[in-house]
Amino acid sequence: MRASYKIKKDLDAVFRHDPAAKSKAEVILTYSGFHALILYRFAHFLYVHRYKLLARMVSQLAKFLTGVEIHPAAQIGHGVVIDHGEGVVIGETAQVGNNVLIYQGVTLGGTGKDVGKRHPTVEDGVMISAGAKILGPFTVGRNAKIGAGSIVLKEVPPNATVVGVPGRIVKIGNERVDDLDQTLPDPMGDELKALGERVAALEEKLNKTNG
């Protein structure tokens, strides 16, 4: 598939996902995520034609200009949107399907324990929210949703919603499979409660002694 076709699909996808986009000229001139994808596609072309050093130089230029680091060997489909973009990292053996939405601060990385295929495969239609980290050589299934700030370390089935650290599946399609406990720990409250119980026990003991 030609890079020009993919770039056109990337441009069209911006308008599907970003209501702030007013015109093609605005996207082409001002959207850093779109710029990052264009430069990636040029770097990838160089990489597959064995101009690997030049490809890495282009990818580093893209990182400097856009804040998005995509290894030129990564495989990225069409209709992809990198929204805002800053801090996005996509590793060498990552594979990203078509119509994937990626927000700022996302990492498609490795754990340092694998060889060969070290980075995730993200299938078509996946949404990865801000700050999510997907680490390892597993698959995120078609149309899955990854919540903001999640750290995903294992396979995600199609149509699943994953949240939390570590990430866990809370929905598949419209069916809830896990209730997320959003209660935050309160060490000060726990300490005060324990202190109150201790005081009550001492008062009871004192009353028995005097009684």
Side-chain angles (χ1 to χ4, degrees), residues 4 39 65 102 153 165 194:
S4 58
L39 289 168
L65 294 175
I102 300 172
L153 302 172
V165 180

Side-chain angles (χ1 to χ4, degrees), residues 10 31-43 58-59 62-63 65-70 76 82 84-85 88:
D10 295 341
Y31 276 52
S32 61
F34 182 70
H35 299 160
L37 284 168
I38 291 176
L39 289 168
Y40 152 75
R41 297 200 189 284
F42 178 48
V58 172
S59 71
K63 177 184 175 183
L65 294 175
T66 68
V68 176
E69 183 174 359
I70 307 175
I76 300 179
I82 300 177
H84 299 291
V88 169

Side-chain angles (χ1 to χ4, degrees), residues 144-157:
K145 294 180 174 62
I146 310 299
S150 299
I151 298 180
V152 184
L153 302 172
K154 59 184 180 181
E155 198 95 2
V156 177

